[in-house]
Amino acid sequence: MQEGTIMELVKWFIGLFLIMMIVALAVFLFQMGDVNTFKQQVNYQIERNGGLTQEAMASINDYSERHFNGRFTVESDLLNTRVNYGDTVDYKVNGVFEIVIFAIPDVKMQFAGTGVSQVR
């Protein structure tokens, strides 16, 4: 008789653990969806400022702080450089994603992107 009670408790524990894992995964994937929004803003700043100039980087960093709590940073070989009209700027977005519910280290990922200068 006691085996049935213990088995029922184990089933509940496993079920609740699986639900917590699904919620943590859903929150993680939702955070990863923000990468596209941030890359769109980086491309917009590259187009308007003629590259990743100091003004563009200030705006990008401010956007990251205001909308994503500083989760994203940008690195590039053409950092603080103005490029000609039509030149491409390759960059990498570094993101730090927090895993909620579980006490495990944050996940650091890097995403590549390219923007085109539209300033003559």
Side-chain angles (χ1 to χ4, degrees):
M1 198 69 168
Q2 289 181 353
E3 296 86 16
T5 305
I6 292 173
M7 189 55 118
E8 187 70 24
L9 289 174
V10 170
K11 286 181 193 177
W12 271 97
F13 178 76
I14 291 172
L16 291 175
F17 183 74
L18 289 175
I19 290 172
M20 288 174 36
M21 283 182 55
I22 290 171
V23 168
L25 179 65
V27 170
F28 175 74
L29 293 176
F30 181 75
Q31 289 178 355
M32 280 193 58
D34 292 338
V35 171
N36 291 328
T37 304
F38 185 74
K39 283 174 59 175
Q40 183 178 4
Q41 179 67 20
V42 172
N43 289 340
Y44 178 68
Q45 292 301 324
I46 290 172
E47 291 173 3
R48 291 202 56 178
N49 293 298
L52 288 171
T53 60
Q54 290 181 349
E55 295 85 18
M57 287 305 297
S59 179
I60 290 168
N61 291 335
D62 181 54
Y63 187 80
S64 176
E65 285 295 327
R66 281 189 293 125
H67 296 282
F68 303 111
N69 296 323
R71 183 182 313 142
F72 299 114
T73 58
V74 175
E75 65 181 46
S76 174
D77 294 336
L78 298 173
L79 207 58
N80 297 325
T81 305
R82 188 175 180 90
V83 296
N84 296 323
Y85 175 79
D87 288 350
T88 60
V89 177
D90 296 324
Y91 61 88
K92 292 180 182 157
V93 173
N94 297 318
V96 178
F97 302 99
E98 178 184 2
I99 305 297
V100 295
I101 299 177
F102 298 105
I104 58 177
D106 294 343
V107 176
K108 296 177 178 134
M109 298 180 80
Q110 194 173 60
F111 305 91
T114 302
V116 178
S117 172
Q118 299 294 320
V119 174
R120 294 185 187 253

